[in-house]
């Protein structure tokens, strides 16, 4: 099935192979519903639709027969899945980055949103798909793009960039102390005409370069994969620009709810809320998942949720 071009906000549509059902479990669902709907919104935007778990809960909270939930996701496989499913007619999902929320509102002939949710990062569906390269536990092409139809895969990025740039990105976005050794090995492989192309190629390098004692219990490739994912998707840039622009997209009293998963993301949210006097910050400290949720959904363990309201 092809993505409906009316709902495509700037990416190419793709043909589908088999569509797996979502395995993603929404993070902090009760908190998201409470903060997104406590002020009785009519226009709800889910900027990171993913498996649609949050959207499904949010659409249920709309008054009967009223309101809309507008979803966006950069991943063409997400919109293919949505197109193949039955869902509430008040839900519309667009293929595109959440930076394009104004375009989605315009397409719906709506001027402002009452609540926006950003649950950033990757979904369990993307992690489980070995063709995407997100999981270092399953070999496959080292792609790491949320939208595999646009931009360059991580393997290309590693094939072109200077050693210094690679090391700096791994250090800055992965906070990986062994970044220089890793970058050196990546470039050495290139010189031997055996460039890093697959997940296992990079995992092998990380295993050699990162002493396990330094990074405690985390896999030696965790920080490097995080860094490359951030780079190839411009994750932090998009997040920062979107949060800064979002007061213009919300109605007075409208809310922005952001769930982040590591300190680089959370810092962007915290500072953007603090530095713009149009925000009234409703969560002085970020909310965290309960121990019970972490037991049921270990993926939630690093989540931090912050909420601000437009004055
Ligand atoms: C953590 S998942 C969201 C899960 C969703 N809240 C749910 O309940 O199923 C993050 C999703 O955001 C998408 N994504 C990442 N960056 C994006 C961006 N700039 N614009 C839109 N979607 C993005 C990813 O493709 C992924 O599907």
């Amino acid at each position: 099935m092809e993505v409906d071009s009316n709902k495509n906000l700037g990416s190419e549509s793709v043909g589908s192979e088999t569509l797996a059902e979502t395995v993603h479990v929404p993070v902090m669902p009760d908190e998201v519903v409470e903060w997104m709907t406590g002020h009785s919104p009519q226009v709800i935007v889910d900027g990171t639709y993913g498996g649609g778990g949050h959207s499904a809960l949010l659409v249920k909270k709309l008054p009967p027969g009223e309101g809309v939930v507008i979803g966006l996701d950069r991943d063409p496989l997400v919109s293919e899945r949505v197109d193949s499913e039955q869902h509430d007619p008040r839900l519309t999902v667009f293929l595109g980055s959440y930076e394009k929320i104004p375009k989605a509102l315009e397409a719906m002939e709506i001027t402002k949103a009452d609540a926006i949710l950003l649950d950033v990062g990757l979904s369990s569906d993307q992690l489980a798909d070995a063709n995407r390269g997100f999981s270092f536990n399953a070999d496959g092409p080292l792609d790491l793009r949320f939208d595999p139809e646009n931009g360059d895969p991580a393997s290309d990025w590693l094939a072109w960039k200077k050693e210094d740039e690679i090391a700096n990105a791994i250090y800055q976005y992965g906070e990986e102390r062994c970044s220089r050794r890793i970058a050196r090995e990546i470039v050495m492989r290139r010189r031997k005409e055996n460039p890093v192309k697959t997940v296992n190629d990079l995992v092998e390098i990380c295993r050699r370069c990162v002493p396990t004692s330094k990074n405690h219990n985390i896999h030696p490739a965790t920080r490097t994969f995080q860094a490359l994912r951030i780079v190839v998707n411009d994750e932090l840039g998009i997040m920062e620009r979107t949060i800064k622009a979002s007061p213009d997209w919300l109605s007075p009293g409208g809310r922005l709810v952001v769930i982040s998963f590591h300190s680089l993301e959370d810092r962007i949210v915290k500072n953007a809320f603090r530095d713009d006097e149009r925000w009234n910050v409703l969560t002085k400290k970020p909310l965290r998942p309960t121990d019970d949720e972490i037991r049921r959904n270990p993926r939630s363990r690093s989540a931090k949720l912050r909420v601000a309201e437009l004055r």
Side-chain angles (χ1 to χ4, degrees):
M1 185 181 296
E2 286 224 323
V3 176
D4 179 346
S5 58
N6 290 328
K7 296 185 199 153
N8 183 335
L9 297 173
S11 309
E12 293 300 307
S13 61
V14 292
S16 86
E17 291 166 16
T18 43
L19 291 174
E21 276 180 27
T22 182
V23 294
H24 187 84
V25 179
V27 166
M28 302 181 76
D30 296 344
E31 294 85 349
V32 165
V33 167
E34 182 188 334
W35 290 98
M36 285 288 289
T37 65
H39 58 311
S40 307
Q42 287 280 320
V43 179
I44 295 177
V45 176
D46 179 353
T48 47
Y49 183 83
H54 285 134
S55 279
L57 295 170
L58 294 169
V59 86
K60 277 195 204 141
K61 284 283 169 182
L62 291 171
E66 285 181 36
V68 288
V69 173
I70 302 168
L72 293 96
D73 204 291
R74 263 175 112 173
D75 185 342
L77 291 179
V78 167
S79 23
E80 282 186 55
R81 187 192 302 118
V82 176
D83 283 354
S84 70
E85 283 170 353
Q86 292 282 337
H87 50 72
D88 190 301
R90 290 170 296 171
L91 171 71
T92 305
V93 181
F94 291 89
L95 171 62
S97 169
Y98 56 68
E99 248 187 317
K100 295 186 179 164
I101 288 173
K103 271 186 104 178
L105 290 171
E106 196 186 314
M108 301 286 293
E109 300 185 352
I110 290 171
T111 45
K112 300 275 180 182
D114 301 317
I116 297 175
L117 171 66
L118 302 178
D119 171 22
V120 300
L122 80 163
S123 72
S124 307
D125 302 320
Q126 291 162 330
L127 194 63
D129 183 347
N131 290 321
R132 312 292 296 267
F134 289 114
S135 168
F136 36 74
N137 295 315
D139 197 19
L142 186 68
D143 191 314
L144 294 176
R145 286 171 296 175
F146 291 129
D147 174 1
E149 298 298 305
N150 287 287
D152 302 315
S155 53
D156 283 7
W157 193 86
L158 292 178
W160 297 328
K161 288 292 169 184
K162 289 193 185 128
E163 186 177 322
D164 254 16
E165 277 179 275
I166 296 173
N168 291 345
I170 295 174
Y171 185 72
Q172 188 182 352
Y173 300 126
E175 297 175 318
E176 172 56 72
R177 281 186 283 171
C178 305
S179 56
R180 302 232 158 267
R181 288 175 64 188
I182 296 169
R184 196 174 317 130
E185 289 234 7
I186 289 169
V187 172
M188 256 159 53
R189 275 192 64 143
R190 241 161 54 182
R191 290 200 189 110
K192 290 182 192 156
E193 301 204 354
N194 181 23
V196 169
K197 282 197 179 306
T198 68
V199 167
N200 276 356
D201 291 344
L202 186 60
V203 167
E204 242 177 60
I205 290 178
C206 294
R207 279 194 201 284
R208 275 201 306 278
C209 296
V210 181
T212 31
S213 60
K214 272 211 174 139
N215 279 334
H216 305 290
N217 291 327
I218 73 167
H219 189 288
T222 304
R223 293 170 190 274
T224 301
F225 273 69
Q226 172 185 303
L228 291 178
R229 204 194 75 204
I230 289 174
V231 168
V232 297
N233 294 295
D234 186 22
E235 280 183 67
L236 300 182
I238 290 179
M239 190 179 179
E240 192 164 17
R241 289 194 295 276
T242 298
I243 299 177
K244 282 193 175 153
S246 60
D248 294 334
W249 312 338
L250 281 165
S251 54
R255 291 181 182 176
L256 174 62
V257 175
V258 187
I259 306 177
S260 62
F261 291 88
H262 54 77
S263 56
L264 298 170
E265 292 169 348
D266 185 54
R267 197 173 311 143
I268 288 174
V269 190
K270 188 172 90 178
N271 293 347
F273 283 175
R274 186 199 58 202
D275 294 344
D276 188 333
E277 57 191 22
R278 291 173 292 174
W279 290 124
N280 176 23
V281 181
L282 301 182
T283 46
K284 298 301 167 210
K285 287 205 168 143
L287 306 179
R288 306 294 311 269
T290 60
D291 291 344
D292 187 42
E293 176 173 1
I294 295 172
R295 252 191 312 279
R296 281 183 286 111
N297 182 13
R299 199 186 171 276
S300 69
R301 68 186 173 280
S302 45
K304 286 187 179 167
L305 183 152
R306 292 185 189 265
V307 187
E309 182 182 72
L310 192 68
R311 291 184 199 278

